[in-house]
């Protein structure tokens, strides 16, 4: 009884009457006598991510894929050929992997890499790692790169091709993060091993420039062997030293004779005869010897052109004064002499640099052309002024304007002109014939358009120059060499020698309006030649394999003026 009373007393204790959980005090607990609601079907019926009634269920999620695969199965994954789904925008999975095969010319491969951001460039191929792999001789690689670029720039190669060659050499020896820079007289290259290391920069200045396309072709072959065959640094330095020590392929007397043939062939193109041919050749050879003499005395190139322009002009004035004894077209003699002096090579290179985005180098080269033309103007004007106002000469530009249609003679004269021009440029002997045929085709096309079809000389010149650039680029890719030996000499017959002479003669006669009009025509013809050659070279890429798998060759600039 005592125990029962104790248990009863315990049961009547307020602490024992408390519920075993907190549900009894919950505001959502139904009162006594109300049945409990059924349990919910979903675990989270009020989630804000739940689909409303009437909305279809989403499709099943695809299996887990790589983070680098295109979303939704669209586009082209890395390493698979084909265009992306949205070519106008950068794909969300990045740019396709580029594989630059060695079957394509190194010029195109290196241009493609130079126009890519540095993070997207392919990594250089590395040899199998040895137990103790030696460190890269960065200073020697940069020195070799600069020396090769110096020879190319001094030989008249375009800035884009020089940068491509420098990058190709550095990339072939394992310098991936390398940036070459080319201006008119300065070469520099910078290499940064990694993002946390200091860059190594070297530069070199081009002090002296000359025309030797044989040496230029040898350097191109060296770069080709470095980028495809993997020459060692010692072998590359040895071959580079041999190239620098090689003598010019033609002696000085051959160059003087070539200058005479060039002037004689140009005089036949503008209507001259055998007497005019001999007189123009004699004046050009005498001017060439005077230029060599001025060069030997250390005079600047401007005065060399002044000295070289005076003998042909003097020869033309002398023949004009003796018209009563010998009836010849004296104006054709001076015109032929101007053909041998016009800086067509520098003009084409300057315009090409401007079209490819190297504006500083283009401006410097075009300014060089202006100085050289001013030197020619000074030399010819001094003689013409003396002949017209002092000696009583009667030079008549209309005599040359009345051209005679002599297709066979003019084509032969154009071939003689181109062959002589190729010798003056110190080209390899096996390239002279190809350049001569290229120039003959260009002159034939120009004659058919300008003389037969009656087309304006400016577009006719541009079309003919475009064919020169097209064939020259294709031949250079076939021989894995520079395009300059096949292009520069071939544009010789198209140079505006007649328009330049008419402008100078009218200036000497104080007919400024007519002189300015002729000078403007000469400038238009020169620009048509340069633009036509560059356009033909770019059109040649339509027939060439684009390097890289699934990657397009990007343009030099995409600014569109802003």
């Amino acid at each position: 009884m005592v125990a029962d009373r104790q248990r009863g007393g315990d049961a009547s204790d307020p602490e024992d009457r408390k519920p075993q959980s907190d549900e009894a005090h919950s505001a959502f607990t139904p009162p006594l006598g109300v049945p409990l609601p059924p349990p919910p079907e979903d675990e989270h019926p009020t989630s804000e991510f739940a689909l409303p009634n009437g909305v279809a269920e989403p499709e099943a999620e695809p299996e887990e894929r790589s983070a680098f695969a295109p979303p939704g199965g669209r586009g082209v994954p890395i390493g698979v050929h084909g265009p992306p789904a949205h070519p106008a925008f950068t794909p969300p999975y990045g740019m396709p992997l580029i594989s630059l095969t060695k079957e394509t010319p190194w010029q195109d491969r290196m241009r493609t890499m130079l126009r890519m951001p540095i993070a997207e460039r392919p990594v250089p191929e590395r040899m199998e790692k040895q137990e103790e792999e030696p460190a890269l001789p960065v200073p020697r690689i940069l020195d070799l790169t600069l020396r090769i670029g110096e020879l190319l720039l001094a030989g008249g190669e375009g800035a884009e091709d020089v940068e491509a060659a420098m990058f190709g050499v550095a990339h072939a020896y394992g310098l991936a993060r390398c940036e070459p820079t080319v201006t008119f007289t300065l070469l520099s290259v910078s290499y940064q091993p990694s993002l946390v290391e200091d860059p190594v920069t070297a530069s070199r200045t081009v002090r002296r420039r000359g025309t030797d396309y044989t040496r230029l072709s040898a350097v191109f072959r060296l770069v080709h062997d470095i980028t495809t065959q993997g020459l060692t640094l010692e072998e590359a330095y040895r071959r580079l030293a041999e190239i620098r020590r090689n003598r010019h392929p033609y002696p000085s007397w051959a160059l003087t004779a070539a200058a005479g043939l060039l002037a004689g062939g140009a005089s036949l193109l503008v209507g001259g005869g055998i007497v005019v041919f001999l007189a123009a050749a004699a004046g050009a050879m005498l001017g060439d010897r005077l230029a060599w003499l001025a060069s030997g005395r250390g005079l600047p190139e401007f005065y060399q052109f002044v000295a070289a322009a005076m003998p042909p002009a003097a020869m033309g004035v002398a023949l004009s004064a003796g018209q009563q004894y010998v009836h010849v077209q004296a104006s054709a003699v001076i015109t032929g002499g101007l053909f041998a002096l016009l800086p067509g090579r520098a003009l084409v290179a300057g315009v090409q640099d401007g079209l490819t985005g190297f504006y500083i180098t283009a401006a410097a080269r075009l300014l060089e052309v202006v100085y050289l033309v001013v030197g020619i103007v000074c030399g010819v004007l001094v003689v013409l002024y003396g002949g017209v106002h002092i000696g009583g000469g009667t030079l008549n530009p209309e005599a040359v304007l009345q051209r005679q249609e002599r297709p066979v003679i003019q084509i032969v004269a154009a071939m003689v002109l181109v062959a002589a021009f190729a010798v003056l440029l110190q080209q390899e002997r096996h390239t002279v014939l190809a350049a001569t045929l290229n120039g003959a085709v260009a002159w034939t096309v120009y004659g058919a358009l300008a003389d037969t079809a009656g087309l304006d000389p400016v577009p006719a010149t541009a079309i003919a120059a475009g064919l020169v650039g097209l064939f020259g680029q294709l031949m250079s890719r076939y021989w894995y060499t520079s395009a300059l030996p096949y292009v520069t000499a071939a544009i010789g017959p198209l140079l505006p020698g007649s328009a330049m002479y008419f402008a100078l003669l009218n200036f000497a006669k104080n007919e400024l309006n007519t002189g300015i009009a002729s000078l403007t025509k000469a400038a238009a013809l020169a620009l048509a030649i340069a633009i036509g050659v560059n356009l033909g070279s770019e059109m040649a890429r339509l027939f060439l394999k684009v390097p890289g798998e699934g990657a397009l060759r990007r343009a030099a600039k995409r600014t569109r003026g802003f």
Side-chain angles (χ1 to χ4, degrees), residues 162-504:
V162 176
E163 278 197 2
M166 294 174 62
F167 182 78
V169 173
H171 190 270
Y173 287 114
L175 303 187
R177 306 178 63 88
C178 186
E179 287 293 342
T181 304
V182 176
T183 58
F184 185 55
T185 58
L186 181 63
L187 300 165
S188 64
V189 58
S190 179
Y191 168 66
Q192 188 174 11
S194 65
L195 295 177
V196 297
E197 296 182 66
D198 295 333
V200 180
T201 304
S203 62
R204 195 173 183 88
T205 303
V206 179
R207 299 292 183 184
R208 185 177 181 182
R209 286 170 292 141
T211 304
D212 189 345
Y213 283 178
T214 299
R215 179 178 295 178
L216 190 68
S217 300
V219 176
F220 263 72
R221 285 193 294 270
L222 173 60
V223 176
H224 172 70
D225 292 342
I226 290 175
T227 55
T228 57
Q229 300 180 9
L231 295 180
T232 63
L233 279 175
E234 289 71 17
E235 294 174 345
Y237 266 108
R238 178 181 56 80
R239 288 184 53 177
L240 185 63
E242 292 176 355
I243 293 173
R244 298 180 69 94
R245 286 196 303 264
N246 283 346
R247 298 175 59 87
H248 298 302
Y250 306 102
S252 59
W253 63 266
L255 299 180
T256 302
L261 287 176
L262 195 158
S267 65
L268 293 179
L269 284 179
V270 295
I274 185 64
V275 177
V276 173
F277 178 89
L278 296 176
M285 288 189 291
L286 182 57
D288 182 76
R289 288 291 91 190
L290 285 178
W292 277 96
L293 180 62
S295 176
R297 295 296 182 272
L299 293 178
E301 197 172 14
F302 175 85
Y303 298 105
Q304 298 175 26
F305 272 77
V306 173
M310 295 178 69
M315 190 72 66
V317 171
L319 290 177
S320 177
Q323 287 286 344
Q324 55 182 348
Y325 305 105
V326 181
H327 182 70
V328 296
Q329 294 181 353
S331 299
V333 177
I334 304 176
T335 302
L338 291 178
F339 268 85
L341 298 176
L342 291 178
R345 173 182 59 86
L347 175 66
V348 171
V351 174
Q352 181 179 1
D353 288 342
L355 294 177
T356 52
F358 294 85
Y359 301 115
I360 297 178
T361 307
R365 281 182 166 169
L366 292 178
L367 185 60
E368 179 191 25
V369 171
V370 171
Y371 271 102
L372 298 181
V373 171
V374 169
I376 298 172
V377 169
C378 293
V380 174
L381 275 182
V382 168
V383 178
L384 289 182
Y385 187 83
V388 172
H389 295 279
I390 300 176
T394 56
L395 294 174
N396 184 17
E398 299 297 332
V400 184
L401 285 175
Q402 300 174 358
R403 294 177 51 190
Q404 303 176 2
E405 294 187 5
R406 303 178 298 175
V408 177
I409 296 178
Q410 289 179 338
I411 291 176
V412 173
M415 296 179 68
V416 171
L417 188 155
V418 174
F421 202 174
V423 174
L424 281 176
L425 294 174
Q426 302 280 4
Q427 292 187 196
E428 294 177 304
R429 289 179 173 84
H430 72 271
T431 63
V432 174
L433 179 59
T436 302
L437 295 178
N438 197 9
V441 171
W443 179 256
T444 303
V445 172
Y446 171 79
L449 295 175
D451 297 335
T452 305
L455 189 65
D456 188 82
V458 175
T461 301
I463 295 173
L467 291 178
V468 170
L470 174 64
F471 294 150
Q473 195 68 230
L474 292 177
M475 285 187 287
S476 70
R477 291 302 187 269
Y478 179 77
W479 293 105
Y480 287 90
T481 184
S482 173
L484 291 182
Y486 304 100
V487 171
T488 305
I491 65 173
L494 304 176
L495 293 175
S498 300
M500 179 68 68
Y501 166 68
F502 298 152
L504 299 182

